[in-house]
Amino acid sequence: NGHFIYETRKFHPNGETPKTGSKPVLLEIPTVHFENGINVLTIRSGSYSGWGGFPTYLKFGDYNKLQHQWILFMFRIFSIGFISLFLALYSFLHYILRKRETYYLWFSLLGLSIGCFTIGYHGFWYYAFDYSWAYYILTFMGGILMYLMPILFLQSFFGVRRNIIGIILTISFIGL
């Protein structure tokens, strides 16, 4: 209804989208801005790619209920992510003590990739690093390696020898 409420990033004066992402936001719209009858809520969005939009659907409703859902969602995502990161650190410490048992290394890299991807997929790396390249590297590298590490872990755990075809496929997968 013509009232400015919130801005995550400043748009350039010529209207260009800022070339960075933003943290997920829970926003309360003050009731003083509502009028009797039909109200208009206009949202101007942009993204690093310049296409704009939202990565997921918008939720409208009671602020306290939405905040409770948001906290539970964050708790679930961070729990899964930090458990994966803890298992990665724990397995890496075992690998340092037992370097001949390489499956500890592969399992630690598996936990690291799952933890990085899980935390980053919903944009939570922006809370730690307000930098889009950190988000891209941690999230997408975690997402790529998340599929490769179980294969390497199982090969190492069961003692399966890698042949030249398997090595070429592994290198080509990393190259994608």
Side-chain angles (χ1 to χ4, degrees):
N1 294 333
H3 300 282
F4 178 78
I5 297 174
Y6 183 77
E7 182 176 41
T8 56
R9 302 269 188 218
K10 296 239 181 253
F11 279 82
H12 296 291
N14 62 358
E16 290 181 21
T17 302
K19 297 296 182 189
T20 186
S22 185
K23 304 170 191 168
V25 175
L26 184 64
L27 182 65
E28 182 176 18
I29 301 172
T31 57
V32 297
H33 297 307
F34 292 125
E35 299 172 358
N36 291 332
I38 297 174
N39 291 283
V40 176
L41 176 64
T42 305
I43 300 173
R44 181 179 180 188
S45 69
S47 69
Y48 189 73
S49 65
W51 292 6
F54 298 97
T56 185
Y57 57 92
L58 297 175
K59 290 185 178 183
F60 294 97
D62 181 48
Y63 181 78
N64 293 326
K65 288 181 183 179
L66 291 175
Q67 185 178 30
H68 180 71
Q69 289 176 357
W70 175 248
I71 290 171
L72 289 177
F73 173 73
M74 284 182 26
F75 180 75
R76 186 176 69 239
I77 295 298
F78 280 112
S79 296
I80 294 169
F82 285 123
I83 287 170
S84 297
L85 293 175
F86 171 76
L87 289 174
L89 178 64
Y90 184 77
S91 298
F92 186 72
L93 293 175
H94 274 287
Y95 171 71
I96 289 173
L97 298 173
R98 303 173 181 177
K99 291 201 182 218
R100 294 182 66 197
E101 298 175 4
T102 57
Y103 54 85
Y104 283 119
L105 175 65
W106 298 122
F107 189 78
S108 69
L109 291 173
L110 172 64
L112 179 67
S113 62
I114 290 173
C116 286
F117 180 75
T118 303
I119 293 172
Y121 182 72
H122 296 286
F124 291 127
W125 282 123
Y126 283 119
Y127 286 112
F129 314 104
D130 194 16
Y131 186 61
S132 58
W133 278 105
Y135 163 75
Y136 290 137
I137 290 169
L138 291 170
T139 303
F140 294 110
M141 289 306 292
I144 291 168
L145 295 177
M146 187 171 65
Y147 295 103
L148 180 63
M149 290 304 130
I151 296 168
L152 296 174
F153 166 70
L154 290 173
Q155 284 179 343
S156 178
F157 186 76
F158 291 117
V160 176
R161 292 183 56 209
R162 287 182 222 136
N163 57 20
I164 191 70
I165 294 172
I167 293 170
I168 290 171
L169 289 175
T170 302
I171 291 171
S172 65
F173 180 78
I174 292 172
L176 292 177

